[in-house]
């Protein structure tokens, strides 16, 4: 039976997982992806305004079309080159967001003779890209190197093999064993695709990310960086070699048929890249906050993304609401965003969070006695 829109919404509401937009103000931020505080930085805003002011009479600020039509600019091409050079790659191609970058990448590189092996916890955009490709695809257990190797051994193909992972997973902050994955990729002739959305700006020297920290850029076929997390802007870039860029320009529908980012968005990206490598004090403070959190909450993540499991949509939403009343902005992740029975409070730590805020958060969570934390 085909359900109407009304029936599908009613079914979702009955299951306690109906989504809706919210506006929350004047709360302690433990929810946003603005890990270094760039998005709220006066220096960041001033840099964007100053650069826009310099170009107001000499440039078109509107997109005017897709990059393949009238939307391409020298500014965009030079920005792609500078970002690629910064991260140790030959080339890069800017997409309008990380979701579009991932679906464009996966649907382009993998064909009907190929196989994609992907971590079971990868982002929905990677899953969608896999679905849009014509390749076979097999998940492996989260961060399980032995299971991945078994998959590689048992599933040979006539074409290319790809391994798709995130460096830091967006749900629980777990870290991918990238050196071991690249070792397996070399052993079995696979190509590695890494989404660095939650690592760039935060991890590695100058915030270059985990691929750079492990000195693996030469072994990673494609790296996806998003600009809407620690960089405070919007958009994404796929980094790799000239063949990859040429293929994306020709076959990635999420790039081909999309209006280009306007100049002010590109300026914001450039401003973020100008600012975040200098924020070593903020990265040090963020590491301190992670350490404080881990002392308060044993067995928690080693990263700035934390997860507290509260089984059941209604329970986790009720816990989030109680924290809201206490002045904390912490959002629940409910099924179907996460698997049923794996609902969590997702906590984002920031450089601007204080020790007293972390202690208060610990106390408030401890006071939710009727909740069943797993």
């Amino acid at each position: 039976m085909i359900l109407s829109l009304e029936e599908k919404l009613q079914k979702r509401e009955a299951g306690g997982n109906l989504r809706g937009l919210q506006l929350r103000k004047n709360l302690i931020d433990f929810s946003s992806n603005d890990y270094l505080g760039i998005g709220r930085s006066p220096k960041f805003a001033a840099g964007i305004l100053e650069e826009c002011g310099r170009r107001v009479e000499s440039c078109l600020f509107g997109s005017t079309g897709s990059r393949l039509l009238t939307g391409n600019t020298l500014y965009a091409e030079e920005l792609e080159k500078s970002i690629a050079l910064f991260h140790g790659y030959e080339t890069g191609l800017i997409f309008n967001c990380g979701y579009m970058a991932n679906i464009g990448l996966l649907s382009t590189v993998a064909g009907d003779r190929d196989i994609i092996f992907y971590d079971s916890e990868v982002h929905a955009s990677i899953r969608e890209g896999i679905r849009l490709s014509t390749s076979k695809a097999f998940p492996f257990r989260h961060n399980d190197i032995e299971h991945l190797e078994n998959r590689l051994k048992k599933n040979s193909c006539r074409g290319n093999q790809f391994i798709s992972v995130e460096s830091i997973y967006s749900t629980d902050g777990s870290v991918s064993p990238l050196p071991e994955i690249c070792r397996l990729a070399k052993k079995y002739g696979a190509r590695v695709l890494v989404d660095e959305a939650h690592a760039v700006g935060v991890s590695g020297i100058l915030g270059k990310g985990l691929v750079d920290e492990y000195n693996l850029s030469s072994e990673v076929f494609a790296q996806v960086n998003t600009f809407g997390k620690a960089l405070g802007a919007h958009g994404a870039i796929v980094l790799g070699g000239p063949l990859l860029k040429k293929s994306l320009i020709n076959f990635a529908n999420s790039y081909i048929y999309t209006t280009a980012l306007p100049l002010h968005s590109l300026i914001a990206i450039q401003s973020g890249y100008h600012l975040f490598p200098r924020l070593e004090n903020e990265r040090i403070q963020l590491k301190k906050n992670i350490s404080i959190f881990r002392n308060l909450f044993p067995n928690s993540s080693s990263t700035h993304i934390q997860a507290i499991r509260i089984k059941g949509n209604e329970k986790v939403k009720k816990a989030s609401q109680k924290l809201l009343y206490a002045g904390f902005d912490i959002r629940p992740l409910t099924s179907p965003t996460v698997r049923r029975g794996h609902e969590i409070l997702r906590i984002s730590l920031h450089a601007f969070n204080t020790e007293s805020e972390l202690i208060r958060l610990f106390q408030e969570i401890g006071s939710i006695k009727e909740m069943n934390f797993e």
Side-chain angles (χ1 to χ4, degrees), residues 281-294:
N281 288 337
E282 283 77 4
R283 280 185 284 275
I284 291 171
Q285 183 59 52
L286 181 56
K287 289 178 181 178
K288 289 180 180 178
N289 287 345
I290 294 169
S291 179
I292 293 169
F293 189 93
R294 298 191 76 189

Side-chain angles (χ1 to χ4, degrees), residues 67 75-81 83 92-97 101 227 234-238 245 254-255 260-261 266 269:
R67 290 279 299 275
Y75 193 98
E77 293 190 355
E78 290 179 343
L79 180 58
E80 289 167 338
K81 289 178 184 177
I83 294 174
L93 188 67
I94 289 175
F95 284 73
N96 285 26
C97 65
F227 309 134
H234 183 73
I237 191 167
V238 177
K245 181 171 182 175
S254 59
Y255 175 84
L261 287 175
L266 299 176
I269 295 165

Side-chain angles (χ1 to χ4, degrees), residues 207-227:
K208 289 184 179 182
L210 286 177
V211 171
D212 180 83
E213 182 173 332
Y214 294 130
N215 195 29
L216 295 173
S217 58
S218 62
E219 300 182 43
V220 171
F221 179 72
Q223 175 177 325
V224 177
N225 295 354
T226 63
F227 309 134

